[in-house]
């Protein structure tokens, strides 16, 4: 089946939105992009984008499909059976797609259950975003993520841990460079893995063509990861000029994840005490890393950490507004959320609109390069297409039969 998108602006993922172009899709691909008048005789199915913008679907480089954004995520997850984790994960992936996000990178799951969600979505068996998944996070004894991650100490164990992920079917490898907020008893300022452990883990992943992401909040850990060759620094909260310099040299991506801090600011009294205590140290550096690296000209990819407390699936696009509020131009936010995010994830036919690319689209009101809220806020989304299928209609049809809140923790 063919559909023509015509009438409004087209943002191709890389350049300023342009008027006067028609984009024709055939099945799940873009088949032709030409000046609108070339389609004057077209009689087929048509989407009028007048007054709006056709753009690539958004890409979120940091989510957790096995976590539901509850105040106490660890307890909530523990109450779900493996079967429920898969079912809720699929539902959350679909909510994410309905929120305008056509691809996600799952940065650490539970017992590979998220692979079932990934495979269902990527095979087309279920409607969902494109999913890349890391499997279990590689972390040190007692370290950040150790409650669900693959604990590994010393270079031999780290190599073994990475090989396990690759054998299990991971699309990329996540290695924890520092402490974090959501694990009790660890300090975000501490470097966890040594430079050596980090480097061998990254090299082992690279040997099998897998890119790497590192949870890295403070300088020492960021430097260990960057110098070891990491593909993306997640959070980068306390980054300094030395980190920026090392990252620029290597073209390292930063995935800033501003959404969780927004959520915590609004609901601080609801989260576990150890999270509240650590929040104070983060508050004053909120968005510091993003600003530093952006001003230096570094590569930034959109990521939300959705799944952590009060960052809920389906609201991912709000991150675009937070990035713009921090000082990025709306056009740069759009690039970070489409073509740059696709580049980080290695998705060569997503995140941009060109002949032959995937028909993964978001159509929004107005011009998001002038007002980022057009892309960031769901009320301004007109329609979402995944692999050439209009998905918003399906979501809307489901709405009346759905419980007001998806029963993630049912009867406990
Ligand atoms: Zn995360």
């Amino acid at each position: 089946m063919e559909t023509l998108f015509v009438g409004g602006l087209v943002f191709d993922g890389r350049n300023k939105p342009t008027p006067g172009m028609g984009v024709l899709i055939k099945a799940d691909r873009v088949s032709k992009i030409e000046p609108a008048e070339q389609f004057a005789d077209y009689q087929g199915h048509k989407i009028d984008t007048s007054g709006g913008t056709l753009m690539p679907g958004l890409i979120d480089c940091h989510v957790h499909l096995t976590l539901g954004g509850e105040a106490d995520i660890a307890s909530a997850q523990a109450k779900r059976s493996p079967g429920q984790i898969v079912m809720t994960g699929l539902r959350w992936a679909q909510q994410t797609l309905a929120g305008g996000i056509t691809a996600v990178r799952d940065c650490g799951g539970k017992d590979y259950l998220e692979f079932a969600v990934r495979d269902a979505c990527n095979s087309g068996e279920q409607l969902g975003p494109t999913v890349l998944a890391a499997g279990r996070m590689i972390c040190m004894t007692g370290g950040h993520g150790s409650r669900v991650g693959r604990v590994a100490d010393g270079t031999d164990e780290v190599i073994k841990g990475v090989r396990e992920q690759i054998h299990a079917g991971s699309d990329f490898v996540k290695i924890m460079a520092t402490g974090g907020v959501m694990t009790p008893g660890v300090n975000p300022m501490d470097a966890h893995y040594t430079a050596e452990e980090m480097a061998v883990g990254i090299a082992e992943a690279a040997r099998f063509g897998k890119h790497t992401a590192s949870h890295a909040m403070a300088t020492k850990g960021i430097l260990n990861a960057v110098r070891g060759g990491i593909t993306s620094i997640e959070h980068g909260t306390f980054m300094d000029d030395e980190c920026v310099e090392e990252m620029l040299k290597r073209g390292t991506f930063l995935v800033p994840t501003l959404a969780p801090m927004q959520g915590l600011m609004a609901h601080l009294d609801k989260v576990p005490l150890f999270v509240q205590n650590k929040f104070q140290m983060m508050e004053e550096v909120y968005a510091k890393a993003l600003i530093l690296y952006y001003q230096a000209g570094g590569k930034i990819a959109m990521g939300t950490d959705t799944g952590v407390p009060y960052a809920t699936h389906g609201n991912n696009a709000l991150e675009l507004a937070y990035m713009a509020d921090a000082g990025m131009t709306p056009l740069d936010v759009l690039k970070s959320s489409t073509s740059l995010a696709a580049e980080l994830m290695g998705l060569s036919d997503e995140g941009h609109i060109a002949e032959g690319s995937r028909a993964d689209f978001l159509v929004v009101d107005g011009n998001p390069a002038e007002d980022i809220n057009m892309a960031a806020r769901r009320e301004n989304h007109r329609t979402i297409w995944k692999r050439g299928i209009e998905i918003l209609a399906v979501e809307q049809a489901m709405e009346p039969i759905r419980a007001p809140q998806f029963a993630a923790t049912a009867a406990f």
Side-chain angles (χ1 to χ4, degrees), residues 126-400:
Q126 298 288 337
L127 206 54
T130 299
V131 180
L132 297 192
R136 301 176 77 182
M137 304 174 265
I138 311 287
C139 51
M140 68 167 206
T141 291
H144 183 48
S146 57
R147 292 184 293 186
V148 288
R150 164 55 160 101
V151 173
D153 297 306
T155 52
D156 287 355
E157 263 304 294
V158 168
I159 289 173
K160 194 174 173 195
V162 170
R163 287 178 184 170
E164 279 174 19
Q165 304 319 301
I166 290 164
H167 176 67
S170 297
D171 301 297
F172 69 104
V173 174
K174 173 99 177 281
I175 309 181
M176 313 305 266
T178 69
V181 177
M182 299 301 161
T183 304
V186 302
N187 183 347
M189 302 308 284
D190 290 338
H192 277 184
Y193 277 132
T194 63
E196 203 191 359
E197 288 169 315
M198 193 56 101
V200 297
I202 293 166
E204 191 61 15
R207 225 158 61 74
F208 296 95
K210 306 295 179 188
H211 78 269
T212 46
S214 185
H215 165 98
M217 300 186 79
T219 53
K220 190 94 203 327
I222 294 172
L223 290 173
N224 286 345
V226 172
R227 288 177 178 145
I230 203 83
T231 316
S232 67
I233 290 292
E234 309 299 307
H235 323 302
T237 318
F238 298 96
M239 168 182 296
D240 64 6
D241 291 339
E242 190 184 7
C243 298
V244 167
E245 203 178 301
E246 295 286 307
M247 288 169 72
L248 281 176
K249 234 191 282 178
R250 294 171 175 82
T252 314
F253 275 93
L254 172 68
V255 180
T257 69
L258 303 177
M261 282 298 285
Q262 289 282 341
L264 287 181
M265 280 186 236
H267 305 276
L268 195 58
D269 55 324
K270 307 276 193 321
V271 297
L273 199 59
F274 69 88
V275 176
Q276 293 185 30
N277 293 340
K278 283 190 263 191
F279 171 84
Q280 325 293 344
M281 64 200 285
M282 323 288 300
E283 200 178 6
E284 56 200 55
V285 291
Y286 170 78
K288 179 192 159 204
L290 168 61
I291 296 160
L292 262 185
Y293 203 46
Y294 177 62
Q295 287 174 349
K299 287 202 276 193
I300 292 163
M302 193 270 278
T304 58
D305 219 351
T306 291
V308 303
Y310 298 103
T312 48
H313 301 279
N315 296 314
N316 315 51
L318 287 173
E319 180 80 11
L320 277 68
Y322 306 145
M323 292 164 87
D325 285 347
M328 291 179 75
T329 67
L331 182 60
D332 284 336
V333 171
L334 294 174
K335 288 187 213 170
S336 289
S337 309
T338 55
S339 58
L340 280 167
E343 182 189 328
L344 166 56
M345 285 170 55
L347 301 173
S348 55
D349 56 358
E350 298 184 29
H352 67 283
I353 297 178
E355 286 176 8
S357 69
R358 262 285 177 81
D360 289 3
F361 295 155
L362 172 61
V363 178
V364 303
D365 288 335
N367 180 356
E370 280 169 6
D371 180 357
I372 199 64
N373 285 315
M374 296 299 131
R377 307 200 77 90
R378 290 179 64 164
E379 60 267 33
N380 300 322
H381 294 181
R382 287 187 190 174
T383 179
I384 295 146
W385 289 61
K386 179 66 188 168
R387 299 168 180 237
I389 297 169
E390 183 167 24
I391 69 102
L392 210 52
V394 177
E395 277 296 316
Q396 281 161 354
M398 282 291 287
E399 215 55 59

Side-chain angles (χ1 to χ4, degrees), residues 102-114:
T102 52
V104 297
R105 194 173 63 147
D106 187 289
C107 278
K110 183 173 167 56
D111 303 333
Y112 309 119
L113 295 168
E114 68 284 3

Side-chain angles (χ1 to χ4, degrees), residues 114-126 131 169 171 387:
E114 68 284 3
F115 287 6
V117 176
R118 173 195 65 186
D119 296 347
C121 294
N122 293 355
S123 65
E125 210 169 281
Q126 298 288 337
V131 180
D171 301 297
R387 299 168 180 237

